[in-house]
Amino acid sequence: MIQDIFPHRLEHTFLNSSPVSDDYIFSFQNEKVLLKICENENLKIPTLSDFQCLCGDIKSSAVFLLCVDKTPIYLLQAQNMITLEQQCLRYFPIQALNRILPKWSYFAGITALHLMHWYERNIYCGKCGDLLENSRKERALLCQNCGNIVYPHIAPVVMVAVVNEDKLLMTKYANRDISQWVIISGFAEIGETLEEAAKREVFEETGINIKDLKYFGSQPWGFSDSVIVGYIASLDGSDEIHIDKKELSEAAWHLRSDLPKELTDISITYEMIEALRIR
């Protein structure tokens, strides 16, 4: 899964600190990430020293995100940003992080993107409208006017692999740019357990009832500011599919011996399907 970066370790413990020359800096524009183009055309996450004459400005405005192997990583927030692109620095689709070293770059980058979304959407207090400030004690935003405290938002998502003997239920989204076959997923509602959410999502999207719900694993997923919780379940009753056409364009049972090869980028999906292949 995306978080499997051993022997490296991502640390979330908050630090009230400023970057030094070898610390990594993430910057995002329109969901793209700023990367350094090296002499051999390879890409890397820039460090503070890569920003040359802008180091002072960036050091004063960068926000601590996390550490990997004790090396701090910072975010340059959009509201403090100047034009950053230089001869060796360019914005790339965030998927480029999946192809560069060190191997933890993709996981760190998606986690940084998650936090960037939170900072970007919480500039003003939701209670009184005053400006929020970064806490110096914890990962939080504070309103000095009314005392409101805002913590990072994490949305729970359930993902369900539904098995019917030697077949797996898979779907295609409607009105999205994702054309691959995927297994069913959706956000949990307020006041709903994850197990209830899994059963509801499967029934709402396909009209299929499930039983024997078993936890598979979980995965942070910063693209949607969420954590994905994976389950495997068995068909309960009729296998006749009735799709929700607002959510799906297709839904079908696929034989275990002939599962679609164009699997989603979400690695928990791939691992769940691989687990089903060997059952």
Side-chain angles (χ1 to χ4, degrees):
M1 296 186 191
I2 191 173
Q3 67 268 29
D4 295 332
I5 58 174
F6 182 84
H8 306 286
R9 181 176 175 80
L10 190 148
E11 294 280 355
H12 303 89
T13 305
F14 177 77
L15 297 176
N16 181 27
S17 60
S18 298
V20 296
S21 60
D22 291 334
D23 291 345
Y24 293 103
I25 304 289
F26 273 116
S27 171
F28 298 95
Q29 272 190 4
N30 301 320
E31 304 295 299
K32 292 185 176 181
V33 61
L34 189 71
L35 296 176
K36 179 181 179 180
I37 306 171
C38 303
E39 291 183 0
N40 57 6
E41 299 301 319
N42 288 335
L43 302 176
K44 59 167 283 193
I45 305 168
T47 61
L48 180 64
S49 60
D50 291 320
F51 292 93
Q52 301 173 13
C53 63
L54 302 177
C55 283
D57 295 324
I58 291 173
K59 187 172 183 178
S60 63
S61 60
V63 176
F64 172 78
L65 294 178
L66 49 91
C67 288
V68 175
D69 300 338
K70 307 301 181 183
T71 300
I73 297 176
Y74 291 81
L75 171 70
L76 190 63
Q77 293 176 267
Q79 64 264 34
N80 296 322
M81 201 152 53
I82 33 184
T83 301
L84 290 179
E85 288 197 324
Q86 304 175 28
Q87 184 174 359
C88 63
L89 296 173
R90 290 287 183 274
Y91 285 94
F92 292 86
I94 196 168
Q95 287 77 11
L97 289 171
N98 200 25
R99 302 187 296 273
I100 71 173
L101 295 175
K103 64 174 291 187
W104 49 259
S105 297
Y106 196 38
F107 181 39
I110 292 175
T111 305
L113 182 70
H114 186 162
L115 285 168
M116 186 277 290
H117 288 158
W118 175 64
Y119 281 116
E120 185 178 65
R121 295 164 187 170
N122 291 279
I123 297 173
Y124 298 99
C125 177
K127 288 181 69 176
C128 71
D130 209 11
L131 279 170
L132 294 171
E133 298 179 5
N134 294 328
S135 171
R136 296 184 179 183
K137 297 180 180 179
E138 60 180 339
R139 176 81 61 205
L141 295 169
L142 310 176
C143 178
Q144 298 296 343
N145 184 53
C146 71
N148 185 29
I149 303 176
V150 183
Y151 293 100
H153 168 82
I154 305 171
V157 170
V158 293
M159 179 175 285
V160 192
V162 182
V163 181
N164 175 19
E165 296 180 348
D166 61 345
K167 298 185 287 291
L168 177 68
L169 181 61
M170 300 195 76
T171 65
K172 286 188 177 184
Y173 294 122
N175 305 316
R176 293 203 207 175
D177 293 332
I178 302 172
S179 61
Q180 303 100 320
W181 285 99
V182 297
I183 56 179
I184 294 169
S185 64
F187 290 93
E189 299 287 351
I190 292 173
E192 183 177 53
T193 68
L194 296 177
E195 292 77 13
E196 289 170 340
K199 293 177 181 180
R200 174 184 54 77
E201 283 291 339
V202 174
F203 184 77
E204 284 182 352
E205 294 191 3
T206 65
I208 295 294
N209 288 302
I210 59 174
K211 62 182 180 179
D212 302 328
L213 194 65
K214 296 178 181 178
Y215 172 76
F216 176 82
S218 62
Q219 174 177 288
W221 198 245
F223 289 112
S224 57
D225 306 336
S226 60
V227 57
I228 301 172
V229 181
Y231 292 96
I232 296 175
S234 300
L235 171 70
D236 184 15
S238 172
D239 65 354
E240 186 175 353
I241 296 171
H242 301 278
I243 68 169
D244 178 357
K245 294 185 178 180
K246 293 181 180 178
E247 294 283 339
L248 304 177
S249 62
E250 294 183 64
W253 295 102
H254 292 260
L255 287 169
R256 182 188 306 183
S257 59
D258 191 29
L259 292 176
K261 295 182 174 60
E262 73 279 20
L263 300 179
T264 175
D265 287 337
I266 302 178
S267 56
I268 190 172
T269 304
Y270 177 80
E271 294 197 12
M272 289 172 74
I273 291 174
E274 287 302 301
L276 289 168
R277 286 182 189 275
I278 62 176
R279 282 180 59 180

